[in-house]
Amino acid sequence: SYMKKVLLSVVISIVSFSVGVAQKSTYHPALIGFYNLENFYDTVNNPVVDDEEFLPNSERHYNTRIFLDKVSRLASVISQMGVDVNPDGLAILGVAEIENDTVLNILVNHKDLKARGMKIVHYNSPDVRGVDVGLLYNPKYFTPLYSAPLFVKLPGGSKDSYFTRDVLYVKGLMDGDTIHVMVNHWPSRSGGEERSIPARAAAAAVAKKVVDSLMIINPRSKVVIMGDLNDDPISPSLTRVLGTKGKISDVKEKELFNPWVDFYKKGIGTLAYQDAWGLFDQVVVSQAWLDKEQKGYFFYKANIFNKEFLVQQTGKYKGYPKRTWDGTTYNYGYSDHFPVFITMLKKVNAPVSQ
């Protein structure tokens, strides 16, 4: 197709000249994103989890019509993310607040996404509400080699619930690069932010343990930690437990770069609460992604996908992300979170005649 020819020719070109030789650098992009899908349940009662409020006979009247509308809206968002950078859209998308693999299979087979042939990685979490994390990927860009759910043990008294979501770990190949992806949905602030800090620190520590193990084997490991962290980029779970840095120049070998710090300091967020923006949805990368001269993919930029159609235009939530529900009333929205993605580039050099 024409769009794919555009991709294969020049996505971003920089022409640099040396003595008598011009070198044209073409960069192939791969996009890695995250999206909290806000209570993406099916309509079938699962007796093992607390899904009663998302059933046809509940106060929400969550029926097939509403479910299919929700699927269509989510597919529309995901199909548009990053297509201005790469016509194929996302290589990898981490997701949160999904009930099971059933809803993900229905989502990737929606007409807006089906042509991409996206696959899923999912495990059931012990979360009492039955919401899990998952990974969608385009097999044209990413091949999983190994995956596992990582259990998060909550400290006593930090949350009313004993269980939270697992961290999903996926190792795979992205066009020759071995990468390690962790999809997170850390414990919420319900019950109080201060009280729940140890719970998010415990979840962050699970991810940090994996990072440390990988870095012992290879200090240049390419790691991606993404998710709804229920904390901002400057929160202790990130800056102290994970040890993230907000400036590329401050990131040493084996350390993690958080590209969302500047967004947050400018008051730009992914969700709003009591008229204040938070930036809970983040994609953090290891130092190995930062070298722009490497043969493999390198980090280029971060984006919050907050197009106008995703913004509530009226009512008490005006200006917020257009959520699925207003109380128990269906709001014909998408999610109470904006999705995010980062662009990775890979250099492909071709001599240019003069």
Side-chain angles (χ1 to χ4, degrees), residues 53-121:
E53 65 176 308
F54 294 98
L55 296 173
N57 60 357
S58 70
E59 195 178 353
R60 296 180 189 270
H61 305 292
Y62 188 65
N63 55 26
T64 302
R65 180 186 65 82
I66 292 177
F67 170 72
L68 291 177
D69 187 70
K70 169 91 171 168
V71 170
S72 181
R73 288 173 182 277
L74 294 175
S76 172
V77 177
I78 294 167
S79 70
Q80 294 179 59
M81 287 175 66
V83 291
D84 54 333
V85 179
N86 183 335
D88 287 332
L90 298 159
I92 297 171
L93 178 69
V95 292
E97 287 200 20
I98 49 121
E99 185 178 12
N100 48 39
D101 57 356
T102 303
V103 297
L104 291 183
N105 278 310
I106 292 170
L107 177 63
V108 298
N109 282 293
H110 184 275
K111 62 180 177 60
D112 288 352
L113 293 173
K114 191 172 178 63
R116 296 187 189 177
M118 296 180 87
K119 307 293 185 186
I120 69 172
V121 181

Side-chain angles (χ1 to χ4, degrees), residues 186-227:
W186 292 354
S188 75
R189 295 182 172 194
S190 64
E193 180 186 348
E194 288 297 321
R195 178 192 172 197
S196 57
I197 282 175
R200 286 185 294 285
V206 170
K208 183 65 164 68
K209 185 177 180 182
V210 174
V211 173
D212 290 347
S213 299
L214 291 169
M215 294 303 173
I216 289 170
I217 299 164
N218 177 12
R220 300 284 298 157
S221 293
K222 287 191 165 179
V223 182
V224 178
I225 299 173
M226 64 167 76

Side-chain angles (χ1 to χ4, degrees), residues 116-135:
R116 296 187 189 177
M118 296 180 87
K119 307 293 185 186
I120 69 172
V121 181
H122 168 267
Y123 297 89
N124 286 317
S125 272
D127 180 83
V128 68
R129 291 181 60 234
V131 290
D132 307 334
V133 295
L135 189 79

